[in-house]
Amino acid sequence: PGAACPPPARRVMVAARALLFWALVYSYCGVCACIAGLRLLWSIGRRPGETFRWVVRENPPACLNDPSLGTHCYVRIKDSGLRFHYVAAGERGKPLMLLLHGFPEFWYSWRHQLREFKSEYRVVALDLRGYGETDAPPHKENYKLDCLIADIKDILESLGYNKCVLIGHDWGGMIAWLVAICYPEMVTKLIVVNFPHPSVFTEYILRHPSQLIKSGYYFFFQMPWFPEFMFTLNDFKVLKSLFTSQATGIGRKGCRLTAEDIEAYLYVFSQPGALTGPINHYRTLFSCLPLQNHEIIMPTLLLWGERDAFMEVEMAEITRIYVKNHFRLTILSEASHWLQQDQPDIVNKLIWTFLKEETKRKRE
């Protein structure tokens, strides 16, 4: 029916849909802000002295300089002028495996994969724009999806490669999907952990209130400064609970984070201003979606922890329709959102199987 409308009527329909969309975004943003405010008041009422305690960790824990994980390196991108930090393992000249972390993580979330795949790959775990030791531009406009996609393309070229095996988790999975769509010649194989194709996500969230609630932080992050402030309360209690609580953390059968692992996260995100760049990734999201182009043309592996507290598993299977090549989906029933840290041995085995399977298929 919309195709038959005259241009003025069609413009009104588009404007009305846009108005409804942004009304939904900001209304839900307000709801999330109210809930956060109530939690803040509850915390102040119970432990006023502890609520505003914030310890800046001055020295990194030893695990961040573990030589078995690789070498700390930096590269400056010509177009943006930004300096990116990454940890690289494996010999130069081997095929590149590029790892993109999620939120609130950094290169260290790939520690198990850095050790595992360096025998056959040059494994590079990146700190995304705004994270860790990578430069963090001050304005949220610098974190639009176009900029994040261009970062990966430019980093690949700066490392001396024209293609790679691309692996992304969570928000890094979103970026990995988009790089594969925009620069398919640069991605030989795509592996995504616990994030659906972006088109599946945007369509699913509008039709399923349960996923809208689980993605409430996307809306909460649209506000200036308040989300960062909430993370600092009780010495980053929210950050710790994301990885350790029964609701959102790594499950009973998972590979729990050690006290030193938690301290590594606290060291990175307790630095002044360290949360603004990561949260800015979300602040431009609603102006960038939905996508115009959708198709994935390279072999793709999607790994999913069924106990993901933030992403409903139904989106994993729907993703299949957007992959126009070999697609393998594996759902791990006892795994959480933090899959590559939760079940590293199983994840590594599944990745090896997929990579070798694809190599064998090409030879045949």
Side-chain angles (χ1 to χ4, degrees):
C5 292
R10 197 154 54 237
R11 286 198 295 269
V12 170
M13 289 178 63
V14 171
R17 290 181 63 183
L19 180 63
L20 183 62
F21 174 76
W22 286 109
L24 171 65
V25 169
Y26 286 112
S27 296
Y28 196 31
C29 175
V31 170
C32 293
C34 290
I35 294 172
L38 290 173
R39 288 176 175 170
L40 172 60
L41 293 174
W42 175 256
S43 179
I44 293 173
R46 291 183 63 199
R47 295 184 298 274
E50 289 292 308
T51 297
F52 301 105
R53 188 169 67 92
W54 170 7
V55 178
V56 177
R57 278 74 179 172
E58 296 183 358
N59 299 308
C63 61
L64 292 182
N65 292 308
D66 183 345
S68 72
L69 296 178
T71 305
H72 290 261
C73 307
Y74 301 86
V75 60
R76 189 171 296 278
I77 305 303
K78 291 181 181 179
D79 288 346
S80 67
L82 298 179
R83 189 184 76 155
F84 282 78
H85 168 255
Y86 63 92
V87 172
E91 297 175 10
R92 295 178 186 272
K94 288 183 176 180
L96 178 64
M97 177 182 284
L98 186 59
L99 309 174
L100 310 180
H101 63 79
F103 174 89
E105 298 174 289
F106 63 113
W107 71 265
Y108 187 69
S109 68
W110 297 109
R111 58 196 176 279
H112 303 292
Q113 288 68 45
L114 282 163
R115 293 190 182 102
E116 177 70 22
F117 295 101
K118 64 184 179 182
S119 60
E120 294 189 23
Y121 290 88
R122 174 70 168 172
V123 189
V124 170
L126 190 66
D127 275 344
L128 295 175
R129 177 183 291 225
Y131 281 84
E133 294 184 58
T134 291
D135 288 347
H139 304 296
K140 69 177 184 179
E141 289 75 17
N142 297 124
Y143 295 85
K144 288 185 176 181
L145 290 175
D146 287 348
C147 298
L148 306 180
I149 297 166
D151 285 344
I152 307 307
K153 172 182 176 292
D154 294 342
I155 286 166
L156 201 67
E157 293 172 348
S158 298
L159 293 175
Y161 288 85
N162 55 23
K163 58 185 177 180
C164 69
V165 172
L166 185 60
I167 306 182
H169 168 247
D170 182 70
W171 184 258
M174 162 80 90
I175 297 172
W177 284 115
L178 295 175
V179 171
I181 291 169
C182 297
Y183 300 105
E185 71 281 0
M186 289 189 149
V187 182
T188 57
K189 299 175 185 70
L190 176 65
I191 301 170
V192 179
V193 183
N194 278 77
F195 200 93
H197 187 287
S199 293
V200 173
F201 181 68
T202 54
E203 292 164 7
Y204 189 91
I205 195 173
L206 293 175
R207 297 172 182 168
H208 296 80
S210 54
Q211 181 58 54
L212 191 68
I213 293 170
K214 289 181 178 180
S215 301
Y217 62 99
Y218 279 62
F219 298 86
F220 179 54
F221 287 170
Q222 302 308 305
M223 290 185 293
W225 73 263
F226 192 50
E228 290 95 319
F229 170 71
M230 290 298 294
F231 263 93
T232 66
L233 298 179
N234 295 291
D235 193 29
F236 297 87
K237 181 180 178 180
V238 171
L239 181 66
K240 293 178 231 180
S241 67
L242 281 173
F243 296 105
T244 61
S245 73
Q246 186 174 353
T248 64
I250 293 173
R252 287 179 300 170
K253 295 185 179 181
C255 184
R256 299 293 185 90
L257 270 62
T258 67
E260 191 176 34
D261 292 335
I262 295 294
E263 198 60 29
Y265 281 94
L266 293 175
Y267 167 75
V268 168
F269 289 107
S270 69
Q271 305 306 315
L275 281 160
T276 298
I279 293 176
N280 274 342
H281 279 246
Y282 294 87
R283 287 181 169 135
T284 61
L285 177 63
F286 293 111
S287 62
C288 300
L289 294 176
L291 303 177
Q292 299 302 314
N293 186 20
H294 306 275
E295 291 188 352
I296 301 294
I297 63 172
M298 69 286 300
T300 302
L301 171 66
L302 178 58
L303 301 176
W304 203 281
E306 192 173 26
R307 292 182 177 270
D308 191 326
F310 308 102
M311 294 283 171
E312 294 189 354
V313 69
E314 288 77 10
M315 291 188 286
E317 183 59 42
I318 302 172
T319 291
R320 184 184 302 274
I321 66 176
Y322 290 100
V323 181
K324 308 305 179 184
N325 201 316
H326 175 64
F327 177 74
R328 179 179 290 276
L329 168 63
T330 301
I331 299 172
L332 303 182
S333 61
E334 295 297 325
S336 70
H337 177 75
W338 319 104
L339 188 55
Q340 78 274 22
Q341 301 184 77
D342 184 330
Q343 304 283 349
D345 293 341
I346 297 175
V347 166
N348 291 346
K349 183 178 179 180
L350 289 168
I351 292 175
W352 274 127
T353 300
F354 173 73
L355 295 174
K356 294 181 182 298
E357 173 185 75
E358 282 306 305
T359 301
K360 183 179 179 181
R361 183 179 283 108
K362 279 189 175 181
R363 288 174 180 168
E364 293 175 349

